[in-house]
Amino acid sequence: LKNVTFEYNALSQKKLTVKREIIYNEYGHNIEMLETDFQDSTTKLFKYDLKYDSTGNWIKVTESENGKPSFIAVRTIEYYK
């Protein structure tokens, strides 16, 4: 697992406005993101539950925000021999 922190200024502000701490899994997909917004003093925790097929490609991802499901994406991959 790899933990990366991004800090950036939204809307070309001269001060730090948002910080994102992201944890990646062994496939390089983010599985958790903690987002801190310094403008309105809020923190959001996003978690990503990924399901993979037998070749290691993700086929379903469920995103939850602060413990509540917020998004589900499902994809079908056809493999040709």
Side-chain angles (χ1 to χ4, degrees):
L1 299 178
K2 183 178 176 185
N3 191 347
V4 177
T5 300
F6 294 97
E7 297 178 344
Y8 60 92
N9 303 330
L11 304 173
S12 301
Q13 302 282 329
K14 293 188 177 189
K15 61 181 179 176
L16 179 66
T17 55
V18 177
K19 176 176 146 183
R20 288 183 176 162
E21 297 176 65
I22 303 171
I23 298 174
Y24 296 91
N25 66 11
E26 64 274 11
Y27 295 103
H29 298 123
N30 55 327
I31 57 171
E32 187 172 304
M33 178 175 67
L34 180 64
E35 181 179 271
T36 305
D37 187 327
F38 298 109
Q39 289 183 318
D40 60 9
S41 301
T42 59
T43 300
K44 296 177 184 175
L45 177 62
F46 296 90
K47 291 191 176 188
Y48 305 91
D49 179 34
L50 292 116
K51 304 294 182 206
Y52 296 91
D53 66 11
S54 61
T55 63
N57 289 305
W58 72 265
I59 54 174
K60 181 179 181 182
V61 60
T62 304
E63 176 190 83
S64 55
E65 181 180 338
N66 296 325
K68 298 177 184 175
S70 57
F71 179 78
I72 297 174
V74 178
R75 67 181 186 173
T76 301
I77 301 172
E78 286 188 44
Y79 297 97
Y80 297 93
K81 293 184 181 187

